[in-house]
Amino acid sequence: MSTISTQNESTLQTQRPVQVAQRLEKFKTTIFTQMSILGNKHGAINLGQGFPNFDGPEFVKEAAIQAIKDGKNQYARAFGAPELNSAVASRFHRDTGLVIDPEREVTVTCGCTEAIAAAMLGLINPGDEVILFAPFYDSYEATLSMAGAKVKCITLRPPGFDIPLDELKAAVTSETRAILMNTPHNPTGKMFTREELEAIASLCIENDVIVFSDEVYDKLDFEMDHICIASLPGMYERTVTMNSLGKTFSLTGWKIGWAVAPPHLTWGIRQAHSYLTFATSTPMQAAAVAALEAPESYYTELKRDYSEKKEILVKGLKEVGFEVFPSSGTYFVVVDHTPFGFGDDVAFCEYLIKEVGVVAIPTSVFYLNPEDGKNLVRFAFCKDEETLRSAIERMKLKLKRVV
């Protein structure tokens, strides 16, 4: 009888409409999950989701193993293990020249995505206006929706994805609470120039606006040096700088991130963090200390390796027939797919997976107006060289330009 009852309950459950709060109704399963599932089904090479298919450095993994063996397995302090907070503060000083208090100005989170969520939920009130630069990491809009924010968008357009400064100046008003930015920029690979950052800073100071700056790709800067906006005059006091371990050390599954902010902003971030995750993995925090103490030679070698991977992918995509737009940072490249005759980016990416055997990400989901991104797709080069070359060969064999 119990088996029959369970089956009946299961049948009834599948007939019920899914339930979701209104603030999340417009958001579907993330495009990364959708494309990866489809890719797995068709045995496609995944150049879509931005995770490396190679492992992080041995010295960091060994530090995690040792921390587990040493019994560092219970809850960590809510806002971060003291050693990691200090390591983050030291790295921030090396990168920006700014001296910060690790106890009052660093909050360790479950990846940068939680840092973003804690910052939005802890510092943005319902109805607050927040400016985004499209295309944007899809978590931004969803988290702002959860916070009840009013989103205003500035669109960056190819080929250079430059900030339209006059449009930005017109958009920032006394009603603007914050600007949420990302440099180096996912998905385009653009790096914000000093002129652009200074323009943003000037507007923020003039209008008393705070900045949320996602800088997870700061060590993957190829064409120019990364500039942290918090380091500009008058900006530290109004900036939340968010970063993580995953991209730089090829350990995306560890989910170790942090937010750096002055005490008056850190308070709100920590309040939200306390009720989101409370604390972050203790042994992984211990290992993160070892990672952040890596010598500069590690970062030099990292950029050298990624520069070689980028060259392989960019050269190959051009040979396939794509228009490839410049990428100065991150491990992403955006291309125009329209020479192959598809009406939009989703149709192209589905064909690419099913018929060619390669996963890319349609960028229309990264815009408030999907039409703005329908001609563009994103490829990731955080893969070993054999994988990159195999994907290029598949595309050369099965993709044909029609324009």
Side-chain angles (χ1 to χ4, degrees):
M1 290 294 292
S2 62
T3 302
I4 294 171
S5 175
T6 301
Q7 289 174 340
N8 289 340
E9 288 172 4
S10 177
T11 301
L12 288 171
Q13 185 68 30
T14 60
Q15 294 173 348
R16 294 173 181 168
V18 295
Q19 299 183 30
V20 64
Q22 290 179 354
R23 60 184 172 271
L24 291 174
E25 278 183 335
K26 68 169 287 188
F27 302 101
K28 312 298 182 185
T29 303
T30 72
I31 194 64
F32 308 107
T33 299
Q34 292 178 45
M35 293 294 110
S36 292
I37 289 173
L38 191 61
N40 290 337
K41 179 179 178 181
H42 291 274
I45 297 172
N46 195 341
L47 301 189
Q49 198 165 357
F51 61 84
N53 69 340
F54 45 85
D55 220 350
E58 289 298 321
F59 75 93
V60 184
K61 292 188 293 182
E62 288 298 327
I65 293 168
Q66 190 60 51
I68 292 170
K69 290 181 177 179
D70 289 345
K72 296 180 179 179
N73 300 306
Q74 308 308 320
Y75 289 129
R77 187 177 64 173
F79 59 89
E83 298 82 5
L84 180 54
N85 287 55
S86 294
V88 169
S90 295
R91 169 171 158 175
F92 195 75
H93 178 243
R94 291 196 303 273
D95 291 344
T96 67
L98 298 173
V99 177
I100 61 172
D101 183 346
E103 294 299 295
R104 301 173 66 233
E105 299 176 276
V106 176
T107 305
V108 175
T109 57
C110 293
C112 188
T113 300
E114 197 226 332
I116 294 164
M120 300 304 109
L121 296 172
L123 294 169
I124 297 298
N125 288 310
D128 281 352
E129 181 183 278
V130 179
I131 293 177
L132 291 179
F133 296 101
F136 46 75
Y137 175 45
D138 60 352
S139 171
Y140 297 167
E141 186 188 3
T143 304
L144 287 170
S145 178
M146 285 188 268
K150 175 185 175 183
V151 176
K152 186 184 286 187
C153 212
I154 303 295
T155 300
L156 310 180
R157 304 185 186 280
F161 299 98
D162 300 321
I163 297 177
L165 294 178
D166 289 341
E167 186 179 340
L168 178 62
K169 289 174 183 175
V172 178
T173 70
S174 59
E175 299 299 311
T176 306
R177 166 63 171 159
I179 294 175
L180 173 52
M181 54 172 275
N182 169 216
T183 181
H185 183 256
N186 173 19
T188 67
K190 171 192 168 51
M191 293 184 63
F192 287 23
T193 66
R194 180 172 291 277
E195 177 188 5
E196 290 170 333
L197 292 171
E198 288 177 345
I200 293 170
S202 177
L203 289 167
C204 289
I205 293 169
E206 179 182 346
N207 294 279
D208 193 23
V209 172
I210 62 176
V211 169
F212 302 112
S213 186
D214 175 354
E215 302 184 11
V216 295
Y217 299 100
D218 62 338
K219 296 301 183 184
L220 297 175
D221 52 344
F222 305 113
E223 310 300 331
M224 64 181 74
D225 291 335
H226 168 73
I227 301 171
C228 174
I229 193 168
S231 69
L232 299 184
M235 285 306 294
Y236 180 75
E237 65 193 50
R238 62 180 65 254
T239 300
V240 178
T241 305
M242 301 167 290
N243 212 318
S244 76
L245 195 76
K247 304 300 190 295
T248 304
F249 290 92
S250 303
L251 297 165
T252 58
W254 285 19
K255 300 298 291 180
I256 299 294
W258 54 85
V260 173
H264 68 280
L265 297 179
T266 291
W267 176 253
I269 296 167
R270 288 184 178 179
Q271 288 296 95
H273 167 67
S274 293
Y275 297 105
L276 284 170
T277 60
F278 175 67
T280 306
S281 170
T282 302
M284 299 313 178
Q285 287 194 61
V289 174
L292 293 180
E293 291 175 348
E296 287 303 310
S297 58
Y298 172 81
Y299 302 107
T300 301
E301 186 64 26
L302 179 77
K303 284 202 279 190
R304 182 184 301 116
D305 287 348
Y306 271 119
S307 293
E308 293 171 357
K309 297 177 192 299
K310 175 186 169 185
E311 183 178 355
I312 291 169
L313 182 61
V314 169
K315 180 175 181 290
L317 291 172
K318 288 179 178 178
E319 291 172 350
V320 170
F322 290 102
E323 180 181 2
V324 182
F325 298 114
S327 173
S328 300
T330 75
Y331 41 52
F332 302 118
V333 172
V334 167
V335 304
D336 187 332
H337 68 81
T338 55
F340 299 98
F342 291 84
D344 61 52
D345 55 331
V346 175
F348 173 78
C349 286
E350 288 180 347
Y351 176 87
L352 191 68
I353 291 171
K354 295 175 182 178
E355 304 299 330
V356 181
V358 176
V359 180
I361 296 295
T363 68
S364 56
V365 298
F366 303 143
Y367 293 82
L368 287 187
N369 177 12
E371 285 291 304
D372 289 338
K374 71 175 185 177
N375 293 339
L376 308 176
V377 298
R378 188 195 80 178
F379 289 94
F381 54 88
C382 50
K383 315 295 176 181
D384 61 72
E385 293 185 9
E386 181 181 354
T387 298
L388 295 172
R389 295 186 193 280
S390 295
I392 293 297
E393 288 307 310
R394 288 189 182 188
M395 288 188 279
K396 284 182 178 179
L397 184 64
K398 296 184 177 181
L399 271 182
K400 305 298 178 186
R401 286 180 62 115
V402 297
V403 177

